[in-house]
Amino acid sequence: MRLALLDRPPTTLFVCVTCRAGRDDAQEPRPGAQLFESLRQGAEGLAVVPVECLSNCQRGCTAAVSAPGKWTYVIGQLDPEQHAADMLAFARLHREATDGLPAWRSRPEHVRKNTIARIPPLPVVAKEIA
């Protein structure tokens, strides 16, 4: 069996769907779920995965952009109605960057100002196959 390497590793947006964006009420649908739906609708070429919690509750809706062998970004203060396009644009920049480090000035302003963390890629372990 031969394996082909992808030109670009798949890029995934992980979206906290339990986020209430700092609201104490049990408003439905939750802003995090609304963000997920907004991202999913425009995510051609990207994977959008709902997650239960990204532990960033005090900074509003949160999403993470990740791909194998690339830096991961955690972005907060996302408004489902205002920032979905910014996150999709950033995820596409991330996908195009070989190391997952898009040029700072090319990132949407909201992403630049609300990056919670940048996490280094896990080491790639090569396994010999017969």
Side-chain angles (χ1 to χ4, degrees):
M1 172 192 285
R2 291 175 43 136
L3 300 175
L5 295 176
L6 299 173
D7 288 338
R8 293 183 190 100
T11 297
T12 302
L13 277 161
F14 294 99
V15 183
C16 175
V17 295
T18 56
C19 180
R20 290 186 178 146
R23 298 180 188 143
D24 290 332
D25 63 357
Q27 178 184 356
E28 294 295 334
R30 293 178 181 203
Q34 291 173 323
L35 177 63
F36 169 74
E37 283 303 320
S38 295
L39 292 171
R40 191 177 62 82
Q41 290 175 12
E44 186 175 324
L46 304 166
V48 181
V49 177
V51 295
E52 289 300 312
C53 185
L54 289 172
S55 292
N56 191 40
C57 304
Q58 296 303 313
R59 295 209 43 203
C61 292
T62 302
V65 179
S66 185
K70 294 185 175 190
W71 285 80
T72 295
Y73 286 81
V74 179
I75 313 298
Q77 299 288 17
L78 296 167
D79 182 298
E81 296 175 11
Q82 295 180 19
H83 302 122
D86 288 345
M87 283 306 298
L88 292 169
F90 179 65
R92 289 186 177 98
L93 289 170
H94 184 271
R95 180 183 62 199
E96 299 301 318
T98 305
D99 53 5
L101 294 171
W104 188 81
R105 291 222 178 262
S106 70
R107 301 172 195 172
E109 183 177 357
H110 186 81
V111 171
R112 289 193 314 253
K113 291 183 175 183
N114 293 281
T115 297
I116 306 303
R118 186 177 87 166
I119 303 159
L122 294 171
V124 177
V125 178
K127 183 177 178 182
E128 192 173 313
I129 55 174

